[in-house]
Amino acid sequence: RQLKTFIHDTYGNWRADRKGWQAEDGDFIHSPCGMLRVATADGPRTLLAMCGETEAAVQNGMPGMDSDVTPGAVDLYVLRPSSDGTTLEPVAKTTEIASGQRGEPGTVRIERLGPRLFGFVIGESDTRQGYTQRFRSIWLPYGDALLHAAARIDEALDNAESTECAHARARCEERRFEIAPDTTGTGDVYPLTVTETGTRGDKAIHARYTVKFDAARGRYVVPKALRDGY
């Protein structure tokens, strides 16, 4: 009930035809795309992600109908119960994060990223001119802020359909990156272990990286090899 009150107060009226909330015509249509209640030293908190799609994104029941270059939006919140107990109020928030394409945002997951820490992972993907890539960004509730802890960590790269690959076999690549928190880490934020596999030309790739969290700067130190993309 508290959550519903917060969403209605923040995002306007429910639109049954679009299964989301919209404040006024032309605005993004929002729906929850990640929610987790957690206990903290400061009391209960609710992590909430709201995904916004454009009005043009859904036409005749078909999603993804807006133009390729139009992103959707993601809003992230850390909420606590209001003092009168009727609703939830933000302890921290970051709104209107551009994400996705064709008027629809990417994927959002809430993952355990430290012994007592859950964070938001936003997944992106795009394909253009024969280059396909998937990558993620990470937002962490840290203190009373939401930190943009990693702007980009690659998940998959593939240029098989590109002219670059067609012209030079040695430059064809298909790479995958498995990303997992190292739960043996001792800090507030687990390091990430990234295992890269795949091929470039006729050579097999196998590499492992440790991505540490720099607490002073509030972000992961991501090696260039894991954020280059296309």
Side-chain angles (χ1 to χ4, degrees):
R1 176 136 306 298
Q2 291 175 326
L3 184 62
K4 210 158 207 170
T5 303
F6 170 78
I7 292 173
H8 183 273
D9 290 351
T10 309
Y11 292 102
N13 293 320
W14 171 256
R15 273 190 62 175
D17 62 326
R18 290 292 289 267
K19 298 184 177 57
W21 283 267
Q22 187 181 35
E24 41 195 79
D25 282 354
D27 284 357
F28 280 111
I29 296 153
H30 284 90
S31 56
C33 51
M35 201 267 297
L36 182 71
R37 290 193 177 90
V38 294
T40 74
D42 301 315
R45 296 286 182 266
T46 299
L47 303 186
L48 174 69
M50 295 290 290
C51 285
E53 59 180 20
T54 62
E55 282 200 324
V58 175
Q59 291 165 22
N60 304 326
M62 294 287 291
M65 298 301 282
D66 208 333
S67 72
D68 276 1
V69 295
T70 305
V74 176
D75 296 351
L76 304 176
Y77 296 93
V78 180
L79 302 166
R80 67 178 170 213
S82 58
S83 52
D84 64 5
T86 59
T87 184
L88 298 172
E89 57 190 27
V91 178
K93 66 176 181 179
T94 300
T95 58
E96 295 180 22
I97 301 165
S99 170
Q101 53 193 346
R102 300 188 196 95
E104 297 201 303
T107 60
V108 183
R109 297 191 309 277
I110 297 173
E111 295 188 0
R112 183 188 284 276
L113 295 169
R116 289 176 299 283
L117 182 70
F118 290 85
F120 297 98
V121 177
I122 301 178
E124 303 287 349
S125 61
D126 76 50
T127 299
R128 58 190 71 191
Q129 295 169 341
Y131 295 89
T132 300
Q133 54 185 345
R134 287 201 328 269
F135 53 93
R136 69 178 60 178
S137 61
I138 300 175
W139 295 78
L140 289 179
Y142 205 70
D144 282 339
L146 260 172
L147 302 180
H148 196 187
R152 176 181 180 128
I153 304 176
D154 290 328
E155 294 181 355
L157 299 171
D158 186 332
N159 68 0
E161 305 293 315
S162 68
T163 51
E164 176 186 26
C165 172
H167 289 154
R169 183 87 199 102
R171 303 193 60 154
C172 300
E173 62 178 18
E174 183 187 354
R175 298 157 64 196
R176 295 281 178 275
F177 304 85
E178 288 292 325
I179 304 165
D182 174 3
T183 55
T184 63
T186 52
D188 291 342
V189 183
Y190 292 136
L192 302 173
T193 300
V194 183
T195 308
E196 179 187 1
T197 55
T199 53
R200 184 183 288 115
D202 54 7
K203 292 186 177 63
I205 298 171
H206 196 98
R208 177 170 281 209
Y209 302 87
T210 298
V211 179
K212 291 195 167 76
F213 184 75
D214 180 338
R217 289 162 59 203
R219 57 178 184 258
Y220 293 98
V221 183
V222 182
K224 195 169 181 316
L226 298 180
R227 53 184 162 85
D228 262 358
Y230 295 131

